[in-house]
Amino acid sequence: MNIDHSILTLIVFVPLAGALLLAFLPDRGKTMQWSALAVTLFTFLLTLHLPFRYSYASQPGTFQFEQNLPWIASPVIHYHVGVDGLSMWLMVLTGLLAPLGVLISWRAIDSRKKLFYILFLLQQVAMMGIFVSLDLFLYYGFWEMSLVPMTILIATFGHSDGRRRAAIKYFLYAFIPSGLLLVAMLWLYAQTGTFDLPTLAALAAQHAISPNAAALGFASLAFLLAFAVKVPVFPLHGWLVDAIVEAPTAAVMVLAGKTALYSMLRFSFAIFPDQMRHIAPVMIALGAIGIVYGGLLALVQNHLKKLAAYSTLGQLSFIVLGIFTFTIAGVDGGVYQILNESLAGAAFFMLLGLLFERYGTYNMREYGGLAAKLPWMVTMFVITTLSIIGLPMLNSFVGEFLILSGSMQSNTAHHHFWTALATVGVILSAAYMLTMIQRVFYCGLGPKPENVIAPDLDAREHLALWPLVALFLIMGIASPIWMRAIDTYGAPAAGFRAPVGAAVPSCDDAHPCRVELTMVPAKEVR
């Protein structure tokens, strides 16, 4: 069998095999670190097969590297996996962040190392499974699986007495809406007789899932609520700050955003397109409010991880705003910004973890004057900060520009106002990030730097950080490398689906390019 047919299965289950291997290895010296690093590097190399073998000229809306095998006869459940322009780069991103998470945890985790790295690999299995599953039942298994290792990581390896409370809060916030998600999936199966996503999407395009509009609306809300809590979308962010403050660095790098935003785009947009368009004005408003709310709260924080948590809320709200504009620029920018936020956020949390390793505090008031003592540390902080605030030539600028352009082109009521409000968030992000840099590195010498002698970045830490810094620049100046695949999802999601009651675009001799004419402005903006 061609490896193209089994590559996704290998990517998903190699970390599982690695976790089983670690369970039988002795926890001595650096055995766990080296073993986990080997497994995650091998998995990352497997994910690189996807962009090199991906057919960028394929029909938009189709899946590649697909594998569809019967699993359970009744109810009809298949092992159906595949990737497209939405999920392919997320697979590579997850593969990249895993070995970096191992490197950054090399010294930070000095007890229960076997448990930590097994849970970390299981979390990677769950995330990869979420990104490739095209059967709702299979997807739900990976979705629920992702809660368990993260909850245990927070409860066991948090750095304060509040870790168990944070873990329970995270679990309950995510698990309760997931129950509603399961009910909605079972209702869909009762209506259609299938869990297969492409089949459900085709039925949705024909308005053939159910004649009961009210039941369909409730099902769409169950899907949206489960994903919105996990993003999180304002005001459903009650778990976020506690979880980020307590989670170990490697876990917090993958804690928020990616899987839930992907699930929203993959399942809510595909199965409930009309319902998502109807609720888009509310989601755009919540996105814009979340941007400003997160920015204002980040601006007044003295705790570095709380600042990072509210910054994350603002960045994720930006993505929510973009994808619900239902414009090509907005959807493409939102998908691209998922990658940017994940990379910049990962680098920021890694740097915060390295500061904590050296000085044992996240309190900004105890820092100051570090620039003279840790020149490489401040260099990495400044570059990461410039990426987060969207400096031109760096990666986040592309995503934010596309999102704001798409928002301005949206047909949603009051979209000009929400776009202007979201733009305020860009100013706020610059304010709180640059203030943090000034207080931590350029104020007068604080009590911690004065009393604690700490080394600058070592070779292992440079190895973990430089790939992300390089990607900040490459993704800022060579975004078409990623956009070629993203467009194959973004264009049909935003440009080829008309709302209920709207005229469907058509081509004839007199108007041969009506669909193309609706797509060109967004492409010109990019």
Side-chain angles (χ1 to χ4, degrees):
M1 183 181 291
N2 190 319
I3 192 174
D4 285 354
H5 298 113
S6 57
I7 185 63
L8 297 181
T9 299
L10 287 172
I11 293 171
V12 172
F13 291 107
V14 162
L16 179 60
L20 293 174
L21 174 64
L22 263 62
F24 291 101
L25 291 176
D27 189 358
R28 292 197 300 262
K30 301 294 184 183
T31 303
M32 292 297 109
Q33 289 96 317
W34 283 112
S35 301
L37 182 61
V39 172
T40 53
L41 281 174
F42 182 59
T43 305
F44 174 54
L45 291 175
L46 288 175
T47 64
L48 293 179
H49 179 87
L50 304 180
F52 284 107
R53 295 284 294 172
Y54 190 86
S55 176
Y56 295 93
S58 64
Q59 185 71 19
T62 59
F63 294 96
Q64 300 185 35
F65 309 104
E66 202 168 354
Q67 196 172 11
N68 191 356
L69 303 174
W71 181 14
I72 300 174
S74 182
V76 180
I77 299 171
H78 284 217
Y79 176 77
H80 189 187
V81 296
V83 295
D84 64 354
L86 172 61
S87 53
M88 186 263 288
W89 284 115
L90 289 171
M91 294 284 286
V92 179
L93 171 70
T94 305
L96 170 65
L97 292 182
L100 302 185
V102 174
L103 287 172
I104 214 66
S105 306
W106 206 267
R107 286 197 303 261
I109 305 300
D110 56 2
S111 64
R112 298 185 180 182
K113 290 183 287 187
K114 177 180 288 193
L115 176 62
F116 176 84
Y117 289 108
I118 287 175
L119 291 172
F120 184 70
L121 291 175
L122 290 177
Q123 183 68 25
Q124 190 182 17
V125 173
M127 293 182 65
M128 292 294 194
I130 287 170
F131 292 142
V132 302
S133 295
L134 299 179
D135 181 280
L136 288 182
F137 190 88
L138 180 66
Y139 163 81
Y140 188 78
F142 285 117
W143 176 261
E144 289 295 276
M145 177 184 173
S146 68
L147 297 181
V148 178
M150 185 61 71
T151 301
I152 300 174
L153 282 169
I154 295 171
T156 306
F157 298 95
H159 71 277
S160 77
D161 293 337
R163 60 185 181 275
R164 291 181 178 83
R165 178 178 175 272
I168 293 171
K169 183 185 286 191
Y170 165 75
F171 183 82
L172 292 177
Y173 262 87
F175 182 74
I176 293 173
S178 292
L180 299 177
L181 175 64
L182 178 60
V183 172
M185 288 180 177
L186 295 175
W187 178 82
L188 283 173
Y189 183 82
Q191 298 297 309
T192 62
T194 182
F195 285 117
D196 187 62
L197 175 64
T199 303
L200 290 169
L203 291 172
Q206 301 166 15
H207 311 291
I209 288 181
S210 173
N212 190 333
L216 199 60
F218 281 121
S220 71
L221 288 177
F223 271 71
L224 185 62
L225 178 63
F227 303 147
V229 168
K230 196 81 177 287
V231 170
V233 175
F234 173 87
L236 304 173
H237 62 283
W239 61 270
L240 181 68
V241 176
D242 290 334
I244 283 183
V245 167
E246 293 297 337
T249 301
V252 81
M253 287 165 61
V254 297
L255 180 61
K258 290 188 289 296
T259 56
L261 287 165
Y262 163 82
S263 300
M264 202 178 285
L265 288 161
R266 171 65 73 229
F267 297 99
S268 292
F269 280 34
I271 302 173
F272 308 104
D274 302 320
Q275 289 75 19
M276 292 302 101
R277 285 181 178 273
H278 292 155
I279 205 170
V282 175
M283 299 303 294
I284 287 174
L286 292 178
I289 294 170
I291 293 168
V292 176
Y293 175 84
L296 289 174
L297 285 181
L299 196 58
V300 298
Q301 297 302 316
N302 288 312
H303 193 285
L304 285 168
K305 266 203 168 182
K306 288 184 179 180
L307 180 148
Y310 287 115
S311 172
T312 299
L313 175 63
Q315 297 300 320
L316 295 174
S317 297
F318 229 111
I319 298 168
V320 171
L321 171 70
I323 63 178
F324 276 94
T325 62
F326 285 98
T327 61
I328 299 175
V331 174
D332 281 1
V335 175
Y336 197 59
Q337 195 65 5
I338 296 174
L339 304 178
N340 296 330
E341 191 279 331
S342 299
L343 292 170
F348 190 46
F349 284 117
M350 289 163 69
L351 289 165
L352 293 182
L354 295 177
L355 269 185
F356 185 81
E357 280 185 41
R358 286 159 169 78
Y359 296 105
T361 182
Y362 288 114
N363 190 342
M364 275 193 281
R365 288 173 292 194
E366 298 188 43
Y367 286 108
L370 281 180
K373 292 177 172 291
L374 307 175
W376 276 114
M377 180 79 80
V378 68
T379 300
M380 292 298 181
F381 258 102
V382 169
I383 294 173
T384 302
T385 294
L386 295 177
S387 171
I388 291 173
I389 66 180
L391 183 76
M393 300 292 288
L394 295 180
N395 55 336
S396 294
F397 173 78
V398 178
E400 289 181 358
F401 182 79
L402 285 174
I403 288 171
L404 293 174
S405 299
S407 180
M408 194 59 74
Q409 298 167 24
S410 173
N411 294 322
T412 305
H414 311 299
H415 63 277
H416 292 101
F417 170 76
W418 298 122
T419 305
L421 188 63
T423 306
V424 174
V426 178
I427 301 170
L428 289 174
S429 67
Y432 64 73
M433 292 302 292
L434 294 177
T435 299
M436 181 273 297
I437 291 293
Q438 191 265 341
R439 291 180 64 185
V440 173
F441 293 100
Y442 293 104
C443 280
L445 199 62
K448 284 292 182 178
E450 186 175 17
N451 299 321
V452 178
I453 299 175
D456 206 353
L457 300 180
D458 60 26
R460 172 183 55 82
E461 293 161 349
H462 276 288
L463 186 62
L465 289 166
W466 274 107
L468 298 178
V469 171
L471 282 171
F472 295 163
L473 181 60
I474 296 171
M475 293 180 71
I477 63 177
S479 58
I481 296 173
W482 287 265
M483 284 297 181
R484 284 189 303 162
I486 291 172
D487 254 344
T488 63
Y489 170 82
F496 288 102
R497 186 176 288 138
V500 174
V504 177
S506 60
C507 294
D508 51 38
D509 292 338
H511 304 88
C513 301
R514 289 180 63 187
V515 173
E516 278 297 313
L517 286 172
T518 64
M519 294 173 59
V520 166
K523 289 183 176 290
E524 289 179 345
V525 168
R526 187 169 67 251

